[in-house]
Each structure stands twice: as C-alpha cells, then as structure tokens.
Amino acid sequence: MEKILTTNHKILLLGGSGNLGGAFKDAFENSCITYYSPDRKDLGDHLLGSVTKLLERGLFHVVINCISLNGVNQCNVSPLEAVIVNSLLPKLLCHYSDICGYKLFHFSTECVFDDSEQIISSSVFPKAPSTTYGATKLAGEFLPNKNLQLIRLPLLLSRKKNSQIVWKMVDMLEQNKPAKASTDVISTPIFVEDLVQRVLEMINSLLSFESVIHFSSDSRMSMYETVLLFARQNGIKPDFLSKGLDSDFESVEQKPLKLGLKATNEFCVLPALGEDSCCSQS
C-alpha cells in the first residue's frame, strides 16, 4: 500500500464510518497519506452547510464521497433525507470541485438501473430506477470531467466480519439457525478492500477516465449464492440455508432484481469472490 501512496495529496474523506469509508480509513492509516474524515455527528444536522464550510477552506486536493443513505427501505421511509444525502450533496461537491479544482470521487450504484436479465453494459444509460434509493442516487450523478470521477458499484462486501446482511446470515448458519436468501437479487459483487486499492492507484496517478466507470467482478451471483460461498469459505456448513425470492421477505420496498454491473475496462475488473479464499471473520 505504501508504495502507491504519497504525501502529495490532502484528502477529505466523507462517510468514513461506513463500509466503504472505513476501508479507505484503514488504508490511509496504514500509509503516510494525509487525510481528514469528520464524523457525521461533527457535521451536525445541517450536512450541506457544514460540508460547504469545509470545502471553502480550499485545503484539499482530493475529496472522496462515501456518504450515502443506502437502505432501500430507509430511503423510502425518509425520502427528504435521501434527497439531501444522495442527490444534493454530490451536486454540491461537484460545484465546489469546479471552483476549488480538487479531484472528486463519488460513488453511485447499480440500483440506478431498472431490473434486467442481462449484465448491464457500461454504455447503457440508466432506466427509471424502481426504488427511491436508486432514483435519488441517479439524481446525484453528474457528467464526469478532468476533476470529477463518477463510479458506479455493485454489491460491496468486506473480507472482515461486519454488520452487513451476508455476514449476519453466515453468523446464523454458524449457530445452526435457519437462514433464507433470495435467488432473484443478483449482482456482480466485489470486495471493498480490492476496490479501495484500485481507487488509491487512480488517486496517486491522478488518472482521469472522463466517463462513468463501473467496478465489478465477472461473477454474477444471487444473494443465496453469495451467502453460500461466504459460509463455505469460512468452514461453515450451509445446512440451514434455504432459497427464496425477494418477494418472500416483508419489506416496505422491494430491492431491484437481476442486476450486475459490467466493468468498464480491465482495470475495473476485480477478483471474483470465489477466486479469493481470504474471507475471514477475524
């Protein structure tokens, strides 16, 4: 990691407490890079105003935005918050990137697309999203240029045990508790640690793709297949894991089905989950 990072970049990391932001913090803290990542509580209730004050100081060369209201149901219950976080904040960051000249990395999602039975090509323009989450994330997208890099992501998983649903289900199986996973919620999942490594390479070289880019693996997997793989990689028998459909689960808003991004180029293709047995609960 230290070989590709330098002290030449002062980075503002927004959303450092989440899965993606936490992986960036881990990488930064194991290197000599200078960064600042305010806690969400430090930004207060007026998120846009607090971030504006930070940006107007003109201290940062790179801004990485990992703040997102992710839950499909959460966005449906709190649509105003979803608009502020997923739509208005990225537009604000984009505006100040033009003024201050910092490089902006913003992460969007495969959920900006509608359900599809085909892997989504990077050249396909998003259809009308089927969820509030997807719609607000799409509204927060911008046209990339030399200062702006928009990155769409598939299902993002971690090698480290965390509170994500996949790890929760693996815990249930380890305790011989029944777990049910959907076969129709499909993605091309990647490990967050691999993604961070690639993005850091982009930061260090200040590459500008000047287009929307997709990171993904080449493995299109259902949630059931993903939980099954995680369990087996951790030496846990999946005897209590059963198949289901997303409609089987009580939900305010159903998840998009049959998605799965296609990586933009070879640089953006990350190892498939099945190719990496380093998944560990430690």
Coordinates of all heavy atoms in Angstrom, one line a residue, residues 184-267:
D184 N -33.2 -14.2 -6.6 CA -33.5 -13.3 -7.7 C -32.9 -11.9 -7.5 O -33.0 -11.0 -8.4 CB -35.0 -13.2 -8.0 CG -35.8 -12.8 -6.7 OD1 -35.2 -12.8 -5.6 OD2 -37.0 -12.4 -6.8
V185 N -32.3 -11.6 -6.4 CA -31.5 -10.4 -6.1 C -30.1 -10.7 -6.6 O -29.4 -11.5 -5.9 CB -31.5 -9.9 -4.7 CG1 -30.6 -8.8 -4.5 CG2 -33.0 -9.6 -4.3
I186 N -29.7 -10.2 -7.7 CA -28.4 -10.6 -8.3 C -27.5 -9.4 -8.6 O -28.0 -8.3 -8.9 CB -28.7 -11.3 -9.7 CG1 -29.5 -12.6 -9.4 CG2 -27.4 -11.7 -10.4 CD1 -30.0 -13.3 -10.7
S187 N -26.2 -9.6 -8.4 CA -25.2 -8.6 -8.6 C -23.9 -9.2 -9.1 O -23.8 -10.4 -9.3 CB -25.0 -7.8 -7.3 OG -24.1 -6.7 -7.5
T188 N -22.9 -8.4 -9.3 CA -21.6 -8.9 -9.6 C -20.7 -8.4 -8.5 O -19.9 -7.4 -8.6 CB -21.1 -8.3 -10.9 OG1 -21.4 -6.9 -11.0 CG2 -21.7 -9.0 -12.1
P189 N -20.8 -9.0 -7.3 CA -20.2 -8.4 -6.0 C -18.7 -8.4 -6.1 O -18.0 -9.2 -6.7 CB -20.7 -9.4 -5.0 CG -21.0 -10.7 -5.7 CD -21.5 -10.3 -7.0
I190 N -18.2 -7.4 -5.3 CA -16.7 -7.2 -5.2 C -16.4 -7.0 -3.7 O -17.2 -6.6 -2.9 CB -16.2 -6.1 -6.0 CG1 -16.9 -4.7 -5.6 CG2 -16.4 -6.3 -7.5 CD1 -16.4 -3.5 -6.3
F191 N -15.1 -7.2 -3.4 CA -14.7 -6.9 -2.0 C -14.3 -5.4 -2.0 O -13.6 -4.9 -2.8 CB -13.5 -7.8 -1.7 CG -13.8 -9.2 -1.2 CD1 -13.3 -10.3 -1.9 CD2 -14.7 -9.4 -0.2 CE1 -13.7 -11.6 -1.5 CE2 -15.0 -10.7 0.2 CZ -14.5 -11.8 -0.5
V192 N -14.7 -4.8 -0.9 CA -14.4 -3.4 -0.7 C -12.9 -3.1 -0.7 O -12.4 -2.1 -1.1 CB -15.1 -2.8 0.5 CG1 -14.6 -3.5 1.8 CG2 -15.0 -1.3 0.6
E193 N -12.1 -4.0 -0.1 CA -10.7 -3.8 0.0 C -10.0 -3.8 -1.3 O -9.1 -3.0 -1.5 CB -10.1 -5.0 0.9 CG -10.5 -5.0 2.3 CD -11.8 -5.8 2.6 OE1 -12.4 -6.2 1.6 OE2 -12.2 -5.9 3.7
D194 N -10.5 -4.6 -2.3 CA -9.9 -4.5 -3.6 C -10.3 -3.2 -4.3 O -9.5 -2.6 -5.0 CB -10.5 -5.7 -4.5 CG -10.0 -7.1 -3.9 OD1 -9.0 -7.1 -3.3 OD2 -10.8 -8.0 -4.1
L195 N -11.5 -2.8 -4.1 CA -12.0 -1.5 -4.7 C -11.1 -0.4 -4.2 O -10.6 0.5 -5.1 CB -13.4 -1.3 -4.4 CG -13.9 0.1 -4.7 CD1 -14.0 0.3 -6.2 CD2 -15.3 0.4 -4.1
V196 N -10.9 -0.3 -2.9 CA -10.1 0.8 -2.4 C -8.7 0.8 -3.0 O -8.2 1.9 -3.3 CB -10.1 0.7 -0.8 CG1 -9.0 1.6 -0.2 CG2 -11.4 1.0 -0.3
Q197 N -8.1 -0.3 -3.1 CA -6.8 -0.4 -3.7 C -6.7 0.2 -5.1 O -5.8 1.0 -5.4 CB -6.3 -1.9 -3.8 CG -5.0 -2.1 -4.5 CD -3.8 -1.7 -3.7 OE1 -3.9 -1.5 -2.5 NE2 -2.7 -1.5 -4.4
R198 N -7.7 -0.1 -5.9 CA -7.8 0.4 -7.3 C -8.0 1.9 -7.3 O -7.4 2.7 -8.0 CB -8.9 -0.3 -8.1 CG -8.6 -1.7 -8.3 CD -7.4 -2.0 -9.1 NE -7.1 -3.5 -9.2 CZ -7.7 -4.3 -10.1 NH1 -8.5 -3.8 -11.0 NH2 -7.4 -5.6 -10.1
V199 N -8.9 2.4 -6.4 CA -9.1 3.9 -6.3 C -7.9 4.6 -5.9 O -7.6 5.7 -6.4 CB -10.3 4.2 -5.4 CG1 -10.5 5.7 -5.2 CG2 -11.6 3.6 -6.0
L200 N -7.2 4.0 -4.9 CA -5.9 4.7 -4.5 C -4.9 4.8 -5.6 O -4.2 5.8 -5.7 CB -5.3 3.9 -3.3 CG -6.2 4.0 -2.0 CD1 -5.5 3.3 -0.9 CD2 -6.5 5.4 -1.6
E201 N -4.9 3.8 -6.5 CA -4.0 3.9 -7.6 C -4.4 5.0 -8.5 O -3.6 5.7 -9.1 CB -4.0 2.5 -8.4 CG -3.4 1.4 -7.6 CD -3.5 0.1 -8.4 OE1 -3.7 0.1 -9.6 OE2 -3.5 -1.0 -7.7
M202 N -5.7 5.2 -8.7 CA -6.2 6.3 -9.5 C -5.8 7.6 -8.9 O -5.4 8.6 -9.6 CB -7.7 6.2 -9.6 CG -8.2 5.0 -10.4 SD -10.0 4.8 -10.4 CE -10.5 6.3 -11.2
I203 N -6.0 7.7 -7.6 CA -5.6 9.0 -6.9 C -4.1 9.3 -7.0 O -3.8 10.5 -7.3 CB -6.0 8.9 -5.4 CG1 -7.5 8.8 -5.2 CG2 -5.4 10.1 -4.6 CD1 -8.0 8.6 -3.8
N204 N -3.3 8.3 -6.9 CA -1.9 8.5 -6.9 C -1.4 9.0 -8.3 O -0.5 9.8 -8.4 CB -1.1 7.3 -6.5 CG 0.3 7.5 -6.2 OD1 0.7 8.3 -5.4 ND2 1.2 6.8 -7.0
S205 N -2.0 8.4 -9.3 CA -1.6 8.8 -10.7 C -2.5 9.9 -11.2 O -2.2 10.5 -12.3 CB -1.8 7.6 -11.6 OG -3.2 7.2 -11.6
L206 N -3.6 10.3 -10.5 CA -4.5 11.3 -10.9 C -5.0 11.0 -12.3 O -5.1 11.9 -13.2 CB -3.9 12.7 -10.9 CG -3.7 13.3 -9.5 CD1 -3.0 14.7 -9.5 CD2 -5.0 13.4 -8.7
L207 N -5.3 9.8 -12.6 CA -5.9 9.4 -13.8 C -7.3 10.0 -14.0 O -8.0 10.2 -13.0 CB -6.0 7.8 -13.9 CG -4.7 7.0 -14.0 CD1 -5.1 5.5 -13.9 CD2 -4.0 7.3 -15.3
S208 N -7.6 10.3 -15.2 CA -8.9 10.9 -15.4 C -9.6 10.1 -16.6 O -9.1 10.2 -17.7 CB -8.9 12.3 -15.8 OG -10.2 12.8 -16.1
F209 N -10.6 9.3 -16.3 CA -11.2 8.5 -17.3 C -12.2 9.3 -18.1 O -12.6 8.9 -19.2 CB -11.9 7.3 -16.7 CG -10.9 6.2 -16.2 CD1 -10.4 6.3 -14.9 CD2 -10.6 5.1 -17.0 CE1 -9.5 5.4 -14.4 CE2 -9.7 4.2 -16.5 CZ -9.2 4.3 -15.2
E210 N -12.7 10.4 -17.5 CA -13.6 11.3 -18.2 C -14.8 10.6 -18.7 O -15.3 10.8 -19.7 CB -12.9 12.0 -19.3 CG -11.8 12.9 -18.8 CD -11.2 13.8 -19.9 OE1 -11.9 14.0 -20.9 OE2 -10.1 14.4 -19.7
S211 N -15.3 9.6 -17.9 CA -16.5 8.9 -18.2 C -17.0 8.2 -16.9 O -16.2 8.1 -16.0 CB -16.3 7.8 -19.3 OG -15.4 6.8 -18.9
V212 N -18.2 7.8 -16.9 CA -18.7 7.0 -15.8 C -18.0 5.6 -15.9 O -17.9 5.0 -17.0 CB -20.2 6.8 -15.9 CG1 -20.7 5.9 -14.7 CG2 -20.9 8.1 -15.9
I213 N -17.5 5.2 -14.8 CA -16.9 3.9 -14.8 C -17.6 2.9 -13.8 O -18.2 3.3 -12.8 CB -15.4 3.9 -14.5 CG1 -15.1 4.5 -13.1 CG2 -14.6 4.7 -15.5 CD1 -13.6 4.5 -12.7
H214 N -17.6 1.6 -14.1 CA -18.1 0.6 -13.3 C -17.0 -0.3 -12.8 O -16.2 -0.8 -13.6 CB -19.1 -0.3 -14.1 CG -20.3 0.4 -14.6 ND1 -21.2 -0.1 -15.5 CD2 -20.8 1.7 -14.3 CE1 -22.2 0.7 -15.7 NE2 -21.9 1.8 -15.0
F215 N -17.0 -0.6 -11.5 CA -16.2 -1.6 -11.0 C -17.0 -2.9 -10.8 O -18.2 -2.8 -10.3 CB -15.5 -1.2 -9.7 CG -14.3 -0.4 -9.8 CD1 -14.4 1.0 -9.8 CD2 -13.1 -0.9 -10.0 CE1 -13.3 1.8 -9.9 CE2 -11.9 -0.1 -10.1 CZ -12.1 1.3 -10.1
S216 N -16.5 -4.0 -11.1 CA -17.3 -5.3 -10.8 C -16.4 -6.5 -10.9 O -15.2 -6.4 -11.4 CB -18.4 -5.4 -11.8 OG -17.9 -5.8 -13.1
S217 N -16.9 -7.6 -10.5 CA -16.2 -8.9 -10.8 C -16.9 -9.4 -12.1 O -17.9 -8.9 -12.6 CB -16.4 -9.9 -9.7 OG -17.7 -10.3 -9.6
D218 N -16.4 -10.6 -12.6 CA -17.0 -11.2 -13.7 C -18.0 -12.3 -13.3 O -18.6 -13.0 -14.1 CB -15.9 -11.9 -14.6 CG -15.3 -10.9 -15.5 OD1 -15.9 -9.9 -15.8 OD2 -14.1 -11.1 -15.9
S219 N -18.2 -12.4 -12.0 CA -19.1 -13.4 -11.4 C -20.5 -12.8 -11.1 O -20.5 -12.0 -10.2 CB -18.5 -14.1 -10.2 OG -17.3 -14.8 -10.5
R220 N -21.5 -13.2 -11.8 CA -22.9 -12.7 -11.5 C -23.5 -13.7 -10.5 O -23.8 -14.8 -10.9 CB -23.6 -12.6 -12.8 CG -24.9 -11.7 -12.7 CD -25.3 -11.3 -14.2 NE -26.5 -10.4 -14.1 CZ -27.7 -10.8 -14.5 NH1 -27.8 -12.1 -15.0 NH2 -28.7 -10.0 -14.5
M221 N -23.8 -13.2 -9.3 CA -24.2 -14.1 -8.2 C -25.5 -13.6 -7.6 O -25.6 -12.4 -7.4 CB -23.1 -14.3 -7.2 CG -21.8 -14.8 -7.7 SD -20.5 -14.7 -6.5 CE -21.1 -15.8 -5.3
S222 N -26.3 -14.5 -7.1 CA -27.5 -14.2 -6.3 C -27.1 -14.0 -4.9 O -26.0 -14.4 -4.5 CB -28.6 -15.3 -6.5 OG -28.1 -16.5 -5.8
M223 N -28.0 -13.4 -4.1 CA -27.7 -13.3 -2.7 C -27.5 -14.7 -2.0 O -26.7 -14.9 -1.2 CB -28.8 -12.5 -2.0 CG -28.6 -12.3 -0.5 SD -27.1 -11.3 -0.1 CE -27.5 -9.7 -0.8
Y224 N -28.3 -15.6 -2.5 CA -28.2 -17.0 -2.0 C -26.8 -17.6 -2.3 O -26.1 -18.1 -1.4 CB -29.3 -17.9 -2.6 CG -29.1 -19.4 -2.3 CD1 -29.6 -19.9 -1.1 CD2 -28.5 -20.2 -3.2 CE1 -29.4 -21.2 -0.8 CE2 -28.3 -21.6 -2.9 CZ -28.8 -22.1 -1.7 OH -28.6 -23.4 -1.4
E225 N -26.4 -17.4 -3.5 CA -25.1 -18.0 -3.9 C -23.9 -17.3 -3.1 O -22.9 -17.9 -2.8 CB -24.8 -17.8 -5.4 CG -25.8 -18.6 -6.2 CD -25.7 -18.3 -7.7 OE1 -25.6 -17.1 -8.0 OE2 -25.8 -19.2 -8.5
T226 N -24.1 -16.0 -2.8 CA -23.1 -15.2 -2.1 C -23.0 -15.7 -0.7 O -21.9 -15.9 -0.2 CB -23.4 -13.7 -2.1 OG1 -23.5 -13.3 -3.5 CG2 -22.3 -12.9 -1.4
V227 N -24.1 -15.9 0.0 CA -24.1 -16.3 1.4 C -23.5 -17.8 1.4 O -22.7 -18.1 2.3 CB -25.5 -16.3 2.0 CG1 -25.5 -16.9 3.4 CG2 -26.0 -14.9 2.1
L228 N -23.9 -18.6 0.5 CA -23.4 -19.9 0.4 C -21.9 -20.0 0.3 O -21.2 -20.7 1.0 CB -24.1 -20.7 -0.8 CG -23.7 -22.1 -1.0 CD1 -24.3 -23.0 0.2 CD2 -24.3 -22.6 -2.3
L229 N -21.4 -19.1 -0.6 CA -19.9 -19.0 -0.8 C -19.2 -18.6 0.5 O -18.2 -19.1 0.9 CB -19.6 -18.1 -1.9 CG -18.1 -17.9 -2.3 CD1 -17.5 -19.3 -2.7 CD2 -17.9 -16.9 -3.4
F230 N -19.7 -17.5 1.1 CA -19.1 -17.0 2.3 C -19.1 -18.0 3.4 O -18.1 -18.2 4.1 CB -19.9 -15.7 2.8 CG -19.3 -14.4 2.4 CD1 -19.0 -14.2 1.1 CD2 -19.0 -13.4 3.3 CE1 -18.5 -13.0 0.7 CE2 -18.5 -12.2 2.9 CZ -18.2 -12.0 1.6
A231 N -20.2 -18.8 3.6 CA -20.2 -19.8 4.6 C -19.2 -20.9 4.3 O -18.4 -21.3 5.2 CB -21.6 -20.4 4.6
R232 N -19.1 -21.4 3.1 CA -18.1 -22.4 2.8 C -16.7 -21.9 3.0 O -15.8 -22.7 3.4 CB -18.4 -22.9 1.4 CG -19.7 -23.8 1.3 CD -20.0 -24.1 -0.1 NE -21.1 -25.1 -0.2 CZ -21.7 -25.4 -1.3 NH1 -21.4 -24.9 -2.5 NH2 -22.7 -26.3 -1.3
Q233 N -16.4 -20.7 2.6 CA -15.1 -20.2 2.7 C -14.7 -20.0 4.1 O -13.5 -20.0 4.4 CB -15.0 -18.8 2.0 CG -14.9 -18.9 0.5 CD -14.7 -17.6 -0.2 OE1 -15.0 -16.5 0.3 NE2 -14.1 -17.6 -1.4
N234 N -15.6 -19.9 5.0 CA -15.3 -19.8 6.5 C -15.5 -21.1 7.2 O -15.6 -21.1 8.4 CB -16.2 -18.7 7.1 CG -15.7 -17.3 6.7 OD1 -14.8 -16.8 7.4 ND2 -16.2 -16.7 5.7
G235 N -15.6 -22.2 6.5 CA -15.7 -23.5 7.1 C -17.0 -23.8 7.8 O -17.0 -24.6 8.7
I236 N -18.1 -23.1 7.3 CA -19.4 -23.3 8.0 C -20.3 -24.1 7.1 O -20.5 -23.7 5.9 CB -20.0 -21.9 8.3 CG1 -19.1 -21.1 9.3 CG2 -21.4 -22.1 8.9 CD1 -19.5 -19.7 9.4
K237 N -20.9 -25.1 7.6 CA -21.8 -25.9 6.8 C -23.1 -25.2 6.6 O -23.8 -24.7 7.5 CB -22.1 -27.2 7.5 CG -20.9 -28.2 7.6 CD -21.3 -29.5 8.2 CE -20.1 -30.4 8.3 NZ -20.5 -31.7 8.9
P238 N -23.5 -25.0 5.3 CA -24.8 -24.2 5.0 C -26.0 -25.1 5.1 O -27.0 -24.9 4.3 CB -24.5 -23.8 3.6 CG -23.7 -24.9 3.0 CD -22.8 -25.4 4.1
D239 N -26.1 -26.1 6.0 CA -27.2 -27.0 6.0 C -28.5 -26.2 6.3 O -29.6 -26.7 5.9 CB -27.0 -28.0 7.1 CG -25.8 -28.9 6.8 OD1 -25.3 -28.9 5.7 OD2 -25.3 -29.5 7.8
F240 N -28.5 -25.1 7.0 CA -29.7 -24.4 7.4 C -30.0 -23.2 6.5 O -30.9 -22.4 6.8 CB -29.6 -23.9 8.8 CG -29.5 -25.0 9.8 CD1 -28.3 -25.6 10.2 CD2 -30.7 -25.5 10.4 CE1 -28.3 -26.6 11.1 CE2 -30.7 -26.5 11.3 CZ -29.4 -27.1 11.7
L241 N -29.3 -23.2 5.3 CA -29.6 -22.1 4.4 C -30.6 -22.5 3.3 O -30.4 -23.6 2.7 CB -28.3 -21.7 3.7 CG -28.4 -20.6 2.6 CD1 -28.9 -19.3 3.3 CD2 -27.1 -20.4 1.9
S242 N -31.7 -21.8 3.1 CA -32.7 -22.1 2.1 C -32.8 -21.0 1.1 O -32.4 -19.9 1.3 CB -34.0 -22.4 2.8 OG -34.5 -21.2 3.5
K243 N -33.4 -21.4 0.0 CA -33.6 -20.4 -1.1 C -35.0 -19.8 -1.0 O -35.9 -20.3 -0.5 CB -33.6 -21.2 -2.5 CG -32.2 -21.8 -2.8 CD -32.3 -22.5 -4.1 CE -30.9 -23.2 -4.4 NZ -31.0 -23.9 -5.8
G244 N -35.0 -18.5 -1.5 CA -36.3 -17.8 -1.5 C -36.3 -16.7 -2.6 O -35.3 -16.6 -3.3
L245 N -37.4 -16.0 -2.7 CA -37.5 -14.9 -3.6 C -37.5 -13.6 -2.8 O -38.0 -13.6 -1.6 CB -38.7 -15.0 -4.5 CG -38.8 -16.2 -5.4 CD1 -40.1 -16.2 -6.2 CD2 -37.6 -16.2 -6.4
D246 N -37.1 -12.5 -3.3 CA -37.2 -11.2 -2.6 C -38.6 -10.9 -2.1 O -38.8 -10.3 -1.0 CB -36.6 -10.1 -3.4 CG -36.4 -8.8 -2.6 OD1 -35.7 -8.9 -1.5 OD2 -36.9 -7.8 -2.9
S247 N -39.6 -11.3 -2.9 CA -40.9 -11.0 -2.5 C -41.4 -11.8 -1.3 O -42.4 -11.6 -0.7 CB -41.9 -11.3 -3.7 OG -41.7 -12.7 -4.1
D248 N -40.6 -12.8 -0.9 CA -40.9 -13.6 0.3 C -40.7 -12.9 1.6 O -41.2 -13.2 2.6 CB -40.1 -14.9 0.3 CG -40.4 -15.9 -0.8 OD1 -41.5 -15.8 -1.4 OD2 -39.5 -16.7 -1.2
F249 N -39.9 -11.8 1.5 CA -39.5 -11.1 2.7 C -40.4 -9.9 2.9 O -40.7 -9.2 1.9 CB -38.0 -10.7 2.6 CG -37.1 -11.8 2.4 CD1 -36.7 -12.2 1.2 CD2 -36.6 -12.5 3.5 CE1 -35.8 -13.3 1.0 CE2 -35.7 -13.5 3.4 CZ -35.3 -13.9 2.1
E250 N -40.8 -9.6 4.1 CA -41.6 -8.4 4.4 C -40.7 -7.2 4.2 O -39.6 -7.1 4.8 CB -42.1 -8.5 5.8 CG -43.1 -9.6 6.0 CD -43.7 -9.5 7.4 OE1 -43.4 -8.6 8.2 OE2 -44.5 -10.4 7.8
S251 N -41.2 -6.3 3.4 CA -40.4 -5.1 3.0 C -41.3 -4.0 2.6 O -42.3 -4.2 1.9 CB -39.4 -5.5 1.9 OG -38.7 -4.3 1.5
V252 N -40.9 -2.8 3.0 CA -41.6 -1.6 2.5 C -41.4 -1.4 1.0 O -42.3 -1.0 0.3 CB -41.1 -0.3 3.3 CG1 -41.9 0.9 2.8 CG2 -41.4 -0.5 4.8
E253 N -40.3 -1.7 0.5 CA -39.9 -1.5 -0.9 C -39.0 -2.6 -1.3 O -38.0 -2.9 -0.7 CB -39.3 -0.1 -1.0 CG -39.1 0.3 -2.5 CD -38.5 1.7 -2.5 OE1 -37.8 2.1 -1.5 OE2 -38.7 2.4 -3.5
Q254 N -39.4 -3.3 -2.3 CA -38.6 -4.5 -2.8 C -37.3 -4.0 -3.5 O -37.2 -2.9 -4.1 CB -39.4 -5.3 -3.8 CG -40.6 -6.0 -3.2 CD -40.3 -6.9 -2.1 OE1 -39.3 -7.7 -2.2 NE2 -41.0 -6.9 -1.0
K255 N -36.3 -4.8 -3.4 CA -35.0 -4.5 -4.0 C -35.1 -4.7 -5.5 O -35.9 -5.5 -6.0 CB -33.9 -5.4 -3.4 CG -33.7 -5.3 -1.9 CD -32.6 -6.2 -1.5 CE -32.3 -6.1 0.0 NZ -33.5 -6.5 0.8
P256 N -34.2 -4.0 -6.3 CA -34.1 -4.2 -7.7 C -33.6 -5.7 -7.9 O -32.8 -6.2 -7.1 CB -33.1 -3.2 -8.2 CG -33.0 -2.2 -7.1 CD -33.3 -2.9 -5.8
L257 N -34.1 -6.3 -8.9 CA -33.7 -7.7 -9.2 C -32.8 -7.8 -10.4 O -32.8 -6.9 -11.2 CB -35.0 -8.6 -9.4 CG -36.1 -8.4 -8.3 CD1 -37.3 -9.3 -8.7 CD2 -35.6 -8.8 -7.0
K258 N -32.1 -8.9 -10.5 CA -31.3 -9.3 -11.7 C -30.5 -8.2 -12.2 O -30.5 -7.8 -13.4 CB -32.3 -9.8 -12.7 CG -33.1 -11.0 -12.3 CD -34.0 -11.5 -13.4 CE -34.8 -12.7 -13.0 NZ -35.8 -13.1 -14.0
L259 N -29.7 -7.6 -11.3 CA -28.8 -6.5 -11.7 C -27.4 -7.1 -12.0 O -27.3 -8.3 -12.3 CB -28.7 -5.4 -10.7 CG -30.0 -4.6 -10.4 CD1 -29.8 -3.6 -9.4 CD2 -30.5 -4.0 -11.7
G260 N -26.3 -6.3 -11.9 CA -25.0 -6.8 -12.1 C -24.2 -5.9 -13.1 O -24.4 -6.1 -14.3
L261 N -23.4 -5.0 -12.6 CA -22.7 -4.2 -13.5 C -21.6 -4.9 -14.3 O -21.1 -6.0 -13.8 CB -22.0 -3.1 -12.7 CG -22.8 -2.1 -11.9 CD1 -21.9 -1.1 -11.2 CD2 -23.7 -1.3 -12.9
K262 N -21.3 -4.4 -15.4 CA -20.2 -4.9 -16.2 C -19.1 -3.9 -16.1 O -19.3 -2.7 -16.4 CB -20.6 -5.1 -17.7 CG -19.5 -5.7 -18.5 CD -20.0 -5.9 -19.9 CE -18.9 -6.6 -20.8 NZ -19.4 -6.8 -22.2
A263 N -17.9 -4.3 -15.7 CA -16.7 -3.4 -15.5 C -16.4 -2.7 -16.8 O -16.6 -3.2 -17.9 CB -15.5 -4.1 -15.1
T264 N -16.0 -1.4 -16.7 CA -15.7 -0.5 -17.8 C -14.5 -1.0 -18.6 O -14.5 -1.0 -19.9 CB -15.5 0.9 -17.4 OG1 -16.6 1.3 -16.5 CG2 -15.4 1.8 -18.5
N265 N -13.5 -1.4 -17.9 CA -12.3 -1.9 -18.6 C -11.5 -2.9 -17.7 O -12.0 -3.1 -16.5 CB -11.4 -0.7 -19.0 CG -11.1 0.2 -17.8 OD1 -10.7 -0.3 -16.7 ND2 -11.2 1.5 -18.0
E266 N -10.4 -3.4 -18.1 CA -9.7 -4.4 -17.3 C -9.3 -3.9 -16.0 O -9.2 -4.7 -15.0 CB -8.5 -4.9 -18.1 CG -8.9 -5.7 -19.3 CD -7.6 -6.3 -20.0 OE1 -6.5 -6.1 -19.5 OE2 -7.8 -6.9 -21.1
F267 N -8.9 -2.6 -15.9 CA -8.5 -2.0 -14.6 C -9.6 -2.1 -13.6 O -9.4 -2.2 -12.4 CB -8.1 -0.6 -14.8 CG -7.7 0.2 -13.6 CD1 -6.4 0.0 -13.0 CD2 -8.6 1.0 -13.0 CE1 -6.1 0.7 -11.9 CE2 -8.3 1.7 -11.8 CZ -7.0 1.6 -11.3

